């Protein structure tokens, strides 16, 4: 089993929680599961598409609109207050991305 395959299966499985579970931020916590999914997926898009393949990232304003996520950025350096507001409004659309 490849490490990448293991990670992708884990991320796919993490999407199976309820909306409340995915967006829960524990006391004294800073990030929800949804934030981690968004951040990890956006970073993968950046590294694979923009850096390695030298082509445009898949993420754009249309994906942002479909999922309810920010059009710009991927969470690096994001203040905890902003991270806690990240909400995936359409998990099926997010999974398609």
């Amino acid at each position: 089993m490849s490490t990448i395959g293991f990670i992708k299966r884990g991320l796919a499985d993490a999407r199976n929680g309820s909306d409340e579970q995915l967006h829960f931020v524990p006391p004294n916590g800073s990030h929800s599961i949804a934030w981690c999914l968004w951040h990890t997926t956006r970073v993968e898009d950046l590294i694979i598409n923009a850096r390695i393949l030298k082509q445009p990232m898949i993420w754009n304003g249309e994906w942002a609109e479909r999922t309810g996520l920010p059009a710009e950025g991927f969470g690096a350096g994001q203040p905890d207050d902003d991270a806690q507001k990240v909400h995936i409004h359409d998990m099926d659309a997010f999974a398609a991305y």
Side-chain angles (χ1 to χ4, degrees), residues 33-63:
I33 292 170
W35 184 94
C36 293
L37 288 169
W38 167 70
H39 171 72
T40 303
T41 305
R42 289 284 290 115
V43 169
E44 178 188 20
D45 190 3
L46 171 70
I47 292 170
I48 300 298
N49 291 308
R51 301 288 192 260
I52 294 173
L53 299 176
K54 307 287 190 214
Q55 61 188 24
M57 288 183 288
I58 296 168
W59 189 257
N60 57 31
E62 182 181 326
W63 283 112

Side-chain angles (χ1 to χ4, degrees), residues 6-48:
F6 174 78
I7 292 168
K8 285 196 169 279
R9 282 189 299 282
L11 290 171
D13 190 44
R15 294 190 324 252
N16 293 329
S18 69
D19 189 69
E20 181 180 1
Q21 290 168 327
L22 289 169
H23 296 95
F24 173 75
V25 178
N28 303 315
S30 59
H31 299 82
S32 66
I33 292 170
W35 184 94
C36 293
L37 288 169
W38 167 70
H39 171 72
T40 303
T41 305
R42 289 284 290 115
V43 169
E44 178 188 20
D45 190 3
L46 171 70
I47 292 170
I48 300 298

